[in-house]
Amino acid sequence: MNGTPEAPPGRRERAVDVLVVGAGPAGLALASRLAAEDGVGVEVVEREDEPGGAPRHCRHSGFGLRDLRRPTTGPAYARHWADTALRAGATLRTGVTVTGWSDGPDPDRPALDVTSAAGLERITARAVVLATGARERPRSARLVPGTRPAGVFTTGELQRTVALGRGPVGRRAVVVGAEAVSYSAVRALRRNGVEVVAVVTELPYPQVSPATALDARLRHGAPLVVGARVDELLGRGRLSGVVLRRHDGRSRTLDCDTVVFTGDWIPDHELARRGGVALDPGTRGPAVDGSFRTNRPGVFAVGNVLHGIEPAATAAREGLLAAGPVLRALAGGGHPGEPVPVRVEAPLLWVAPNRIDLADPGVATGGFVLRTGSRLVPWSSLVVVRGGRVLHRQRLVGGAVPNRTLRLSAAWTAGVGAGTGPDEGPVRISVVR
């Protein structure tokens, strides 16, 4: 008896160097760089039938400008990274669902149980990378009352419905949210001949550039309603309207047969949680240091599972940058000891990465990503403190708004210190005017 659990009858056991879970831009970009290394075997598993993640359903342009240096559509962008990973030598398997973790003989070599049309498998890896992405909260999670009529979508569901040709979406729609993805939903609706009755946000302003908001109003005829929320869905069988309630208590009914709930992202963290990977209380994704390392030896996390949600190019860049730390781990690099947590104070909501390894304080991406819960005025500052010592100040020349990316330099991480005396406790990031 050696303590090694035996695989259930019929479950095939295999071993790989690196197992990547999720074939979105982050996972595919990581696989492409790792597989290009001599002697590194990389396998990517994806539960969907096609690789590429959310971009494959986004038939509009706007992808590729930042990283491929050419404009392309979402499906073309997804194909680019899938083809790049395959050409580099990665094994790409779709229609494969990870059902759980398994304890192997070596605690530093995690194992995952998967199921697919080929049957049951247990795959042990020298490194596992979670690239499971993020998803929008559906109507049920937002606790919007009413019946359960047809015509209720998230942006992802809308884009899949359109891309797969699953029939007409509707005739008149309300879009809930006024951030970048909300206006992507507006464009998708208009391309399919759907009138947008209103774009509704609880905030007093849209969270996109003035040009984007104006374009939606003038070119797509989508009026913006601020300071209000969808309070109830009406209709049986098919949606017939929504009840809007303003902050002052006034309400009115908008006639529509479609509503799209946008934004309100949550990392797809279920596999991480079941594997005992510590989650950050702010992002609710895996807590990682600047090298994408979780608290579990041999397990990394990358892309939008860490922060919902950044553009596809950002996720792909993280995947490329995560290859270095993963290769160092394969070469015998140590696991972080007790990292220093990084916390934010209101109105900031979260920061990623959210740990600092004092023995290796570098941040592969060169900086941190944050979100704020309310508008930050121009020329306010982000202040980084540990104990009583100020580590860094950074001016926000243009201010910041909720649901948009806020970046913080990582130039200060080498000065965090050993955590003795006045330097004890977590690093804290706050905002001062």
Side-chain angles (χ1 to χ4, degrees), residues 260-279:
V260 185
F261 290 96
T262 68
D264 198 359
W265 301 97
I266 183 168
D268 208 337
H269 61 207
E270 181 59 22
L271 181 61
R273 187 186 63 78
R274 282 190 282 141
V277 173
L279 304 181

Side-chain angles (χ1 to χ4, degrees), residues 77-242:
Y77 187 82
R79 283 196 299 273
H80 164 82
W81 283 115
D83 291 345
T84 302
L86 289 171
R87 283 197 302 270
T91 299
L92 180 54
R93 301 175 62 201
T94 58
V96 178
T97 300
V98 178
T99 56
W101 300 76
S102 176
D103 295 328
D106 185 344
D108 290 337
R109 292 197 176 189
L112 290 172
D113 291 340
V114 306
T115 182
S116 68
L120 304 177
E121 296 174 273
R122 177 163 294 165
I123 305 174
T124 300
R126 296 168 63 196
V128 166
V129 183
L130 305 176
T132 47
R135 53 187 166 80
E136 295 166 296
R137 285 182 182 274
R139 167 263 183 105
S140 57
R142 303 183 196 218
L143 304 178
V144 178
T147 56
R148 297 184 177 181
V152 181
F153 300 88
T154 62
T155 311
E157 292 168 345
L158 170 69
Q159 290 169 333
R160 281 193 293 275
T161 298
V162 171
L164 298 178
R166 292 176 176 170
V169 174
R171 295 180 296 104
R172 289 166 53 86
V174 168
V175 174
V176 181
E179 55 188 281
V181 69
S182 314
Y183 288 93
S184 292
V186 169
R187 291 189 289 272
L189 290 165
R190 294 298 298 130
R191 281 197 301 274
N192 286 274
V194 182
E195 177 188 1
V196 178
V197 180
V199 177
V200 181
T201 176
E202 294 187 59
L203 295 173
Y205 43 78
Q207 302 101 63
V208 294
S209 69
T212 299
L214 187 63
D215 177 73
R217 181 65 178 266
L218 297 181
R219 188 155 66 95
H220 297 303
L224 175 67
V225 179
V226 300
R229 58 164 291 157
V230 170
D231 209 37
E232 184 179 357
L233 303 186
L234 305 175
R236 296 186 180 277
R238 179 79 193 192
L239 186 76
S240 62
V242 298

Side-chain angles (χ1 to χ4, degrees), residues 16-19 101-112 123-130 272 275-278 286-289 291-301 325-326 328-330 332-339 355 357:
V16 298
D17 290 323
V18 182
L19 180 63
W101 300 76
S102 176
D103 295 328
D106 185 344
D108 290 337
R109 292 197 176 189
L112 290 172
I123 305 174
T124 300
R126 296 168 63 196
V128 166
V129 183
L130 305 176
V277 173
V288 295
D289 63 15
S291 295
F292 305 98
R293 294 175 295 190
T294 72
N295 67 309
R296 182 164 175 171
V299 179
F300 297 73
V326 173
R328 288 197 295 275
L330 296 181
H335 191 73
E338 187 60 36
R355 294 179 167 206
D357 176 19

